[in-house]
Amino acid sequence: TLTPEPSPTPFPRFFTTEFDGSLAGWVILQAGNEAVPNIAVENSRLLMQMDAPYTWVYALYGAQDYENVSLETKFVNNALTPASIGLICRYSETEGWFEYNITTDGTYNLLYGKWLANGVSEYLPILDGSSNAIQQSGVEQRIGMICSGTTVSLLVDGNIIRNADASRFTLTSGKVGVTASSYENVPVIASFDWVTVSE
């Protein structure tokens, strides 16, 4: 369910969270493996640990929907290659979402994801590539994603590496969030320092 936890103050629309408190307003979802990942807020970081292979974990900001939005995060991916970290925009439980992933082997992709059943999703590749700007496992990195009209822009360390034409998809608004994925090698420990959601 995408019902956020009650809060005495309204959830902000545009913000930077440094994960100093609870995950109020955020929703954790999972696809792939049924093994339960360890999700925690520790030392002002959001930690996602996956001990089972082929697990996709999502932390969505469930308090607001966005049409055009920019989001960015700084993270460390402590994992054997391959493992990926990503951002989500225009997430809809029924219509799907855009997902930008970068992998510890220096590759990246933009996917259209959609739920087929509870915990079962399919992913349609929109584009993929590689970039020397993507750091190896254990190194701090910033990635960003801009969803504006029918264009999705992919950023690494503040620089646009690709612009994608997403006009063939009907996603116009939805939730934003972060994601981490394990493949054949585990454990994967993704550590998010902050997330910024802006106009």
Side-chain angles (χ1 to χ4, degrees):
T1 177
L2 279 175
T3 304
E5 298 176 28
S7 171
T9 57
F11 290 106
R13 183 160 181 80
F14 300 110
F15 61 91
T16 295
T17 178
E18 297 181 340
F19 300 109
D20 291 325
S22 73
L23 282 175
W26 293 78
V27 179
I28 306 300
L29 300 175
Q30 179 180 349
N33 200 299
E34 293 183 358
V36 178
N38 180 23
I39 311 296
V41 174
E42 295 179 6
N43 302 318
S44 298
R45 286 178 176 267
L46 170 63
L47 300 179
M48 295 182 175
Q49 179 170 339
M50 287 147 283
D51 296 315
Y54 300 104
T55 303
W56 287 258
V57 180
Y58 299 96
L60 298 172
Y61 185 60
Q64 299 279 355
D65 281 5
Y66 303 87
E67 294 180 8
N68 299 322
V69 67
S70 173
L71 57 155
E72 188 177 29
T73 186
K74 184 170 80 170
F75 68 91
V76 175
N77 192 352
N78 294 303
L80 298 170
T81 298
S84 65
I85 298 284
L87 294 168
I88 302 290
C89 78
R90 295 185 181 168
Y91 172 91
S92 164
E93 189 173 351
T94 55
E95 301 302 316
W97 63 90
F98 293 129
E99 178 174 333
Y100 165 39
N101 296 296
I102 70 167
T103 305
T104 45
D105 62 5
T107 61
Y108 64 87
N109 60 42
L110 177 65
L111 308 173
Y112 166 71
K114 189 168 185 178
W115 295 112
L116 298 179
N118 187 27
V120 180
S121 56
E122 70 172 353
Y123 301 93
L124 177 65
I126 299 173
L127 60 78
D128 56 43
S130 61
S131 172
N132 293 331
I134 298 173
Q135 300 295 320
Q136 296 180 349
S137 178
V139 179
E140 276 195 340
Q141 180 101 65
R142 286 188 301 125
I143 59 170
M145 183 181 195
I146 300 171
C147 294
S148 179
T150 58
T151 300
V152 180
S153 300
L154 313 180
L155 294 85
V156 175
D157 292 329
N159 300 309
I160 293 177
I161 59 171
R162 286 285 287 277
N163 289 307
D165 178 4
S167 58
R168 71 183 189 272
F169 301 96
T170 57
L171 301 179
T172 56
S173 68
K175 314 293 184 191
V176 298
V178 297
T179 179
S181 307
S182 67
Y183 299 106
E184 61 265 31
N185 298 318
V186 291
V188 171
I189 303 174
S191 171
F192 295 90
D193 188 20
W194 48 260
V195 173
T196 294
V197 179
S198 58
E199 292 185 88

